[in-house]
Amino acid sequence: MSRLKFVSELKERRFAGFLTAYLAGGWVAIEVIDQFIDRDILPTYIYPAALTLLLAGLPGVVIVTWYHGAKDRQRTTRREVWMLSVVVAIAALTSGYIFREGLRESRAGPVTALDRLDPTEDPRRLAVLYFEPVGSSEETAALAAGITETLIDELSGVGALHVVSANGVAMFRNTSPSPDSVGRALEVGTLVGGSVAQADSITRVTVRVTNASTGEQIGRRNLARPRSELFQLQDDLAREVALFLRETIGQEVELLSGSSGTDNVDAWVLARQADERVEDARRLASLDDLDAAGRQLAQADSLLAQAVGLAPEWPAARTRRGWVSYQRSRLGGFDRVRYAEWIESGLQYAAEALQIADSDPDALELQATLRYWRYLLNLTDEQAEAAELLTAAETDFRASIAANPAQASALSSLSHLLMNRGQTAEAKLVAERSYSADPYLQNANVTILRLFQASLDLEDGLEAQKWCDIGRRRFPEDFRFRECQVWQYALRDQTPDIARAWELCGEVLERSPPGVREFNDPRCRIIIGMALVRAGLADSARAVLESARTGVDVDPIRELAMFEAIPRSWLGDMDEAVSLMATFLAANPGQVEAYASDRTWWFEDLRADPRYNSLLGVR
């Protein structure tokens, strides 16, 4: 059909008129629906469903106009019926899907005035601050912390509330900040706090609920119970707070049935005292007082051993002992025998806990962490054994997350494991889930760093910059969020500021703990070497890389050799690059499989060299 004839056909069938009438009528219908939605007569999901139906109907108008638009009468054909049937089916399916999804979301909860509030004014967003112990008793201090964390756990199970985790409020422990400053820092509208006192075997708790933005006290209660009724006291406390919130929010706040996991009060108190020792150990380790940290962990283990004796069917006490073993394995030094002993000890406690509760998420995470730690330390003799260990660790992490999808620490560790497997995209997604589940996780800095590293491995400069900035803002004294700025100079198509890179490396060393400062110096030099390659300063890059060479006493697992191999390959120094990778893989035979499957841009040049592929057993 010629172009002129086609235009003539369109005019004869009054195509423009019918289409204009359809669009005009549709626009009026959409406007009416919009007005009804604005007046809350119709739900919001009707609008996209109607708009989709209008657009999906356009092909139907075209078909009907073509076959029946002329002034004389036309017969209906099979082809027309078939085409209209397809159009109607597509329109019904598409708009029906949007309608169904909108209906499902509306049932999940309508948008209310509360939903439009700033986070610091929303009473449903709350933080439970650590209750203050009255007096100097160690047991009272442990009890106050335990009651606080139990209350956080109970309220976290309430769907109507957004509750900051214990890690989030820990920064305000033993301090007296103003309510509005806490509200701004944690983005909450309600604060719960109080005090705990003990006298004559009676435990007394005072609880206060406060408006974070105004500082106005919403409510206050005093509760008292015999020490033997401690768990009942905790339940009563949760109910009182729920009552305050119900009065404030104007809706039901239904608590889940909470349980400490044991009905033995003495065992629970001992476990809480052990937790306090562990916190002290972390603080001492951060100050590089490893001997004192070790003594605190030994005391924690002793207290937990007593708790296990009093409550042998309580899996949490055994799991806690396992975590203490893991922390003791990390107290400095590179002693393979000591590592192996503590890992084996922790695995035994994990196995005992899993015998009591085979799907306990904490015990599964403990077992996964210790297996993965053994893998990372190359404590296996055979490559096949290392691969089995890595697979078992991944299986346990995933089982822990399946048992508790909000197991943020397991998600964070799994992301690290996936990065070691070369599954960078999934690793980043899992790390994002971890950060969403608990942005105040105790090692949230590590999760943020992992998100940065995954973005860097995916060569996504904007995402890398985003997570580096978040890390520097949240953890300004963490050396890794100075180092991440230098890493970005290694990306392709960069114009590195070499002077700034050296300044940042100086800041990295200033903020590095003494135990890692000697390692961080050559590591940062290697990253500057990468930046120099990107700047086109090959001779300077080689000189800096040569100055970063260090001995096995500083780098026992030869990680720096692997880092140096990357810029050497960019420089075309392939003999040197392959030799460095051979050194690294010889010290880490369990990593061969991971590097064989690695497809990140860092090793593109090396993967083109047959000698490197031979090291990995790749043809």
Side-chain angles (χ1 to χ4, degrees):
M1 183 184 293
S2 68
R3 182 177 178 184
L4 288 175
K5 188 176 180 180
F6 178 68
V7 172
S8 176
E9 290 278 359
L10 291 179
K11 288 181 178 178
E12 182 183 342
R13 287 168 168 76
R14 296 172 292 174
F15 182 79
F18 279 105
L19 185 61
T20 301
Y22 176 79
L23 291 174
W27 178 80
V28 170
I30 291 293
E31 285 296 305
V32 170
I33 289 170
D34 190 40
Q35 291 297 317
F36 281 140
I37 290 171
D38 284 344
R39 289 167 173 76
D40 291 328
I41 298 172
L42 291 175
T44 57
Y45 57 82
I46 295 295
Y47 186 91
L51 183 60
T52 302
L53 193 61
L54 173 67
L55 296 174
L58 281 172
V61 173
V62 172
I63 294 167
V64 171
T65 303
W66 182 261
Y67 282 98
H68 302 284
K71 292 183 179 180
D72 56 324
R73 183 174 178 178
Q74 291 96 27
R75 294 173 59 189
T76 301
T77 66
R78 286 185 177 181
R79 177 181 291 181
E80 178 191 357
V81 171
W82 180 83
M83 287 191 293
L84 283 173
S85 298
V86 171
V87 169
V88 169
I90 291 174
L93 288 171
T94 307
S95 58
Y97 172 78
I98 293 173
F99 184 90
R100 187 190 69 187
E101 289 299 302
L103 185 62
R104 182 180 61 81
E105 290 179 7
S106 72
R107 285 172 177 169
V111 176
T112 66
L114 284 172
D115 295 310
R116 300 185 180 95
L117 289 174
D118 182 90
T120 59
E121 298 174 341
D122 187 343
R124 299 169 304 176
R125 299 179 62 88
L126 65 93
V128 181
L129 301 180
Y130 273 88
F131 281 51
E132 299 172 3
V134 176
S136 57
S137 165
E138 180 183 321
E139 181 178 310
T140 304
L143 197 60
I147 287 173
T148 304
E149 291 170 18
T150 299
L151 183 57
I152 290 172
D153 289 342
E154 293 234 9
L155 295 176
S156 295
V158 179
L161 303 177
H162 170 90
V163 183
V164 175
S165 70
N167 297 304
V169 297
M171 68 179 85
F172 298 107
R173 192 174 181 181
N174 300 321
T175 63
S176 301
S178 62
D180 62 325
S181 63
V182 179
R184 287 193 302 271
L186 299 179
E187 295 188 328
V188 295
T190 303
L191 301 179
V192 179
S195 61
V196 176
Q198 290 195 102
D200 300 324
S201 298
I202 300 294
T203 301
R204 290 180 170 82
V205 175
T206 299
V207 58
R208 293 179 292 274
V209 181
T210 305
N211 182 306
S213 58
T214 66
E216 178 187 358
Q217 188 168 286
I218 298 168
R220 175 190 173 101
R221 293 285 190 281
N222 294 309
L223 302 173
R225 290 285 186 282
R227 185 180 181 277
S228 59
E229 296 179 13
L230 177 62
F231 301 139
Q232 181 61 47
L233 171 63
Q234 293 176 3
D235 291 343
D236 291 346
L237 175 61
R239 278 193 290 272
E240 288 293 340
V241 173
L243 178 61
F244 294 147
L245 296 173
R246 181 180 177 182
E247 293 169 351
T248 305
I249 299 170
Q251 67 186 76
E252 187 73 42
V253 176
E254 187 173 344
L255 294 167
L256 299 177
S257 56
S259 172
S260 66
T262 179
D263 56 4
N264 190 301
V265 171
D266 291 328
W268 187 87
V269 171
L270 286 167
R272 289 305 317 171
Q273 290 175 333
D275 290 345
E276 294 297 297
R277 295 285 200 281
V278 170
E279 286 302 313
D280 288 343
R282 287 197 182 100
R283 178 181 55 78
L284 291 164
S286 70
L287 299 173
D288 209 37
D289 192 347
L290 302 185
D291 290 339
R295 288 192 293 272
Q296 289 295 316
L297 289 175
Q299 291 177 28
D301 185 67
S302 177
L303 289 166
L304 288 168
Q306 295 176 56
V308 169
L310 291 171
E313 297 304 311
W314 185 28
R318 298 173 191 272
T319 302
R320 281 176 161 104
R321 288 197 79 182
W323 284 115
V324 168
S325 294
Y326 169 68
Q327 288 162 325
R328 293 176 88 170
S329 77
R330 301 199 62 136
L331 282 182
F334 193 81
D335 185 338
R336 290 180 182 272
V337 173
R338 183 175 58 82
Y339 282 142
E341 288 176 351
W342 286 122
I343 289 172
E344 189 58 39
S345 169
L347 284 169
Q348 179 59 41
Y349 295 133
E352 291 174 4
L354 289 169
Q355 283 180 347
I356 300 168
D358 60 4
S359 60
D360 183 271
D362 295 327
L364 285 165
E365 182 185 352
L366 170 64
Q367 183 167 271
T369 301
L370 290 164
R371 285 173 166 171
Y372 187 41
W373 185 223
R374 175 180 278 172
Y375 167 82
L376 291 173
L377 293 170
N378 301 306
L379 298 181
T380 55
D381 297 325
E382 301 291 337
Q383 186 174 329
E385 186 183 351
E388 290 174 3
L389 198 59
L390 187 62
T391 299
E394 181 178 351
T395 300
D396 285 338
F397 278 131
R398 292 190 186 278
S400 172
I401 294 160
N404 177 20
Q407 195 88 352
S409 50
L411 285 162
S412 179
S413 296
L414 177 61
S415 73
H416 188 277
L417 185 150
L418 291 171
M419 288 183 73
N420 269 331
R421 278 199 182 278
Q423 297 168 232
T424 310
E426 186 184 358
K428 184 167 186 272
L429 291 173
V430 171
E432 286 173 339
R433 280 180 61 193
S434 172
Y435 192 71
S436 297
D438 188 358
Y440 300 105
L441 191 64
Q442 196 160 55
N443 62 340
N445 57 336
V446 174
T447 302
I448 294 170
L449 185 69
R450 211 155 283 148
L451 286 161
F452 164 77
Q453 290 168 332
S455 301
L456 204 64
D457 286 353
L458 293 168
E459 217 170 352
D460 188 339
L462 289 176
E463 276 287 291
Q465 180 70 55
K466 165 190 158 183
W467 290 108
C468 186
D469 290 346
I470 289 173
R472 190 171 65 255
R473 186 166 60 251
R474 283 197 57 190
F475 304 99
E477 294 307 311
D478 190 324
F479 71 87
R480 289 166 289 199
F481 297 113
R482 292 297 190 279
E483 188 181 83
C484 69
Q485 296 173 75
V486 190
W487 273 115
Q488 290 174 84
Y489 290 142
L491 287 165
R492 287 183 276 214
D493 302 321
Q494 293 288 305
T495 306
D497 183 340
I498 302 301
R500 178 57 180 154
W502 282 110
E503 288 177 8
L504 287 166
C505 272
E507 294 174 14
V508 167
L509 296 182
E510 286 175 9
R511 289 166 172 77
S512 294
V516 297
R517 191 173 296 144
E518 195 174 4
F519 176 83
N520 284 349
D521 183 15
R523 174 185 162 101
C524 211
R525 286 174 179 271
I526 291 171
I527 306 171
I528 287 179
M530 295 180 187
L532 288 164
V533 176
R534 296 305 187 205
L537 302 172
D539 290 340
S540 297
R542 288 188 176 96
V544 170
L545 293 172
E546 194 67 34
S547 73
R549 295 279 175 90
T550 189
V552 71
D553 56 325
V554 173
D555 181 24
I557 62 173
R558 310 318 300 262
E559 186 178 9
L560 295 177
M562 179 270 293
F563 283 130
E564 186 185 343
I566 296 171
R568 288 289 184 181
S569 70
W570 297 348
L571 289 164
D573 301 343
M574 297 310 296
D575 290 346
E576 195 71 28
V578 172
S579 175
L580 288 163
M581 286 306 298
T583 299
F584 171 74
L585 292 170
N588 301 273
Q591 299 274 0
V592 171
E593 182 181 349
Y595 279 84
S597 61
D598 179 89
R599 290 295 177 269
T600 59
W601 61 277
W602 300 101
F603 295 95
E604 278 180 7
D605 295 327
L606 269 163
R607 285 195 295 271
D609 193 300
R611 295 170 297 173
Y612 175 65
N613 291 322
S614 179
L615 288 175
L616 301 173
V618 176
R619 295 181 180 178

